[in-house]
């Protein structure tokens, strides 16, 4: 009986050790290399859709205290740092809400950034914008949060076709990406001139009329300027995608987005 108890105790201890090492390895992997990120909203359509799952490359810009879960890394600033490039899709810790956000970095330190009737101006010059057709999606609840999309052709009945104008925007360094637009007269389609402070960045959502980004002050629930320390990493590739409200709804998976590079 004693031997049986010893075997049982030893088996339990081995299980505890296995779980401990598995969690430690997973924590180190998440801290140093790649962090999973699930797209919860439509602010980056059509580059990223609600239900896209990706890994954030944490080696891209080096490490800060936000590289660790719950921001517990015991240092300030960045180590092994590299500068982000204009046009990168970045994941960062919101300076106020402490939530992780994903947007496109368009303004570098020292830049001036402005929107004029829906067109992005960087350092006083408009970026190149080329029409690229219409983005269409069904007007229905999307993802676990059950959001309805916003439509240029509103009102749209449930199950109808929701449409937005799509363009290709080319930044001064040659990076091109899709943007979506509903109107050129929205709340932040024309803005003051923002001057990006040293050590901070200006970010926008690709779905321009449905993104609370650096155009919105932090006091009003926006992102404002993003400090370099708050950068977590770069989004490079979508690994998996599901249009449904549950991962288990196999019929809502989007195989054409599996392993898709993020542009």
């Amino acid at each position: 009986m004693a031997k049986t108890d010893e075997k049982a105790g030893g088996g339990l201890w081995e299980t505890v050790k296995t779980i401990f090492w598995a969690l430690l390895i997973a924590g180190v992997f998440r801290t140093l290399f790649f962090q999973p990120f699930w797209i919860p909203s439509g602010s980056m359509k059509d580059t990223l859709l609600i239900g896209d799952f990706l890994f954030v490359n944490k080696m891209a810009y080096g490490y800060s205290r936000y590289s660790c879960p719950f921001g517990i890394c015991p240092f300030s600033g960045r180590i092994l740092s590299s500068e982000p490039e204009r046009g990168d899709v970045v994941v960062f810790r919101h300076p106020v809400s402490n939530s992780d956000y994903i947007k496109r970095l368009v303004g570098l330190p020292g830049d001036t950034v402005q929107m004029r009737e829906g067109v992005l101006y960087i350092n006083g010059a408009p970026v190149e914008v080329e029409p690229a057709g219409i983005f269409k999606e069904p007007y229905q609840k999307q993802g676990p949060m059950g959001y309805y999309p916003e439509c240029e052709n509103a009102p749209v009945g449930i199950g109808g076709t929701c449409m937005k104008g799509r363009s290709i925007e080319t930044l001064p360094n040659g990076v091109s990406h899709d943007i979506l637009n509903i109107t050129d007269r929205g709340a932040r389609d024309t803005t003051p001139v923002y001057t990006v402070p040293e050590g901070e960045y200006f970010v926008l959502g690709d779905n321009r009329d449905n993104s609370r980004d650096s155009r919105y002050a932090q006091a009003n629930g926006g992102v404002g300027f993003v400090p370099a320390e708050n950068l977590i990493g770069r989004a490079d590739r979508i690994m998996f995608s599901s249009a449904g409200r549950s991962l288990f709804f196999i019929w809502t998976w989007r195989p054409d987005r599996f392993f898709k590079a993020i542009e």
Side-chain angles (χ1 to χ4, degrees), residues 73-117:
C73 284
F75 59 88
S76 60
R78 301 197 74 86
I79 60 175
L80 303 175
S81 63
S82 298
E83 293 298 319
E85 296 184 7
R86 196 191 312 275
D88 284 356
V89 176
V90 299
V91 173
F92 57 92
R93 188 64 51 87
H94 191 289
V96 176
S97 72
N98 214 33
S99 300
D100 290 348
Y101 273 49
I102 186 165
K103 304 289 181 187
R104 189 176 299 274
L105 191 153
V106 300
L108 301 172
D111 283 345
T112 62
V113 180
Q114 186 183 23
M115 299 292 297
R116 300 183 196 171
E117 296 184 345

Side-chain angles (χ1 to χ4, degrees), residues 3 23 52 56 73 77-78 82 94 107 118 121 127 133 148 174 185 187 197 204 208 212 228 240-241 243 261:
K3 289 184 178 180
L23 291 174
D52 283 347
V56 180
C73 284
R78 301 197 74 86
S82 298
H94 191 289
Y121 283 69
V127 302
Y148 284 100
R185 294 180 174 83
L204 290 174
R208 291 290 161 79
R212 296 192 70 81
F240 174 83
S241 184

Side-chain angles (χ1 to χ4, degrees), residues 233-256:
R234 185 181 64 219
D236 292 331
R237 189 172 296 273
I238 299 164
M239 304 305 294
F240 174 83
S241 184
S242 170
R245 300 187 68 182
S246 171
L247 203 62
F248 300 104
F249 295 172
I250 298 175
W251 57 92
T252 66
W253 291 2
R254 305 181 183 113
D256 60 314

